[in-house]
Amino acid sequence: MENTKRERFSIVETRDGLVTEFGPMPDPSATGSLPPLMFTRIQILEPRIFDYIPRGVFSHSTNPCLSQAIAKGERIAAHVADGRWYELSTLRRYLDISSALLEAQGRDVFAGENVTN
């Protein structure tokens, strides 16, 4: 998906339906160029991909794991979506987006006792 706001999500490069590499976080001040694609991670993994994950230390599945797999010839398929996308990594974001979507549909938002905004 295009990262039009250049938010802090790993840049992903694709070609012919495959991931070719992962880049750094985008520069939010960049203007005049096409927005980068962001890797939003819906993953279906073959068991062998776990061979690229270091043991005993924290590791993301993108870098260096998938980058090493690509360098060794593994094919990582990509689907570039162009629909709406919402980042829901915190409870606050989930609640805010849920409320906004309900309100956009003209539906009422109800909250129980002692709920604060």
Side-chain angles (χ1 to χ4, degrees):
M1 168 158 286
E2 285 186 351
N3 189 352
T4 55
K5 296 180 183 176
R6 291 175 171 21
E7 295 177 88
R8 292 192 50 80
F9 297 99
S10 298
I11 292 173
V12 61
E13 300 290 335
T14 66
R15 185 176 58 247
D16 300 326
L18 298 174
V19 174
T20 57
E21 71 178 290
F22 294 95
M25 301 297 176
D27 178 0
S29 65
T31 59
S33 61
L34 292 174
L37 295 177
M38 63 180 152
F39 186 58
T40 57
R41 294 178 188 87
I42 295 175
Q43 299 179 52
I44 302 169
L45 304 172
E46 292 287 339
R48 71 178 176 272
I49 203 69
F50 294 101
D51 294 339
Y52 296 96
I53 298 175
R55 303 294 182 250
V57 297
F58 176 81
S59 175
H60 288 283
S61 63
T62 49
N63 280 323
C65 172
L66 293 181
S67 294
Q68 290 175 13
I70 291 167
K72 291 189 177 186
E74 299 283 356
R75 294 168 30 104
I76 310 295
H79 171 75
V80 179
D82 61 0
R84 291 165 123 174
W85 181 83
Y86 301 97
E87 203 279 312
L88 304 173
S89 65
T90 67
L91 182 56
R92 173 85 268 152
R93 288 179 181 166
Y94 175 79
L95 292 171
D96 289 347
I97 293 298
S98 296
S99 295
L101 291 172
L102 286 170
E103 289 174 10
Q105 294 176 358
R107 297 173 65 183
D108 292 329
V109 177
F110 297 97
E113 288 184 37
N114 301 318
V115 174
T116 58
N117 204 359

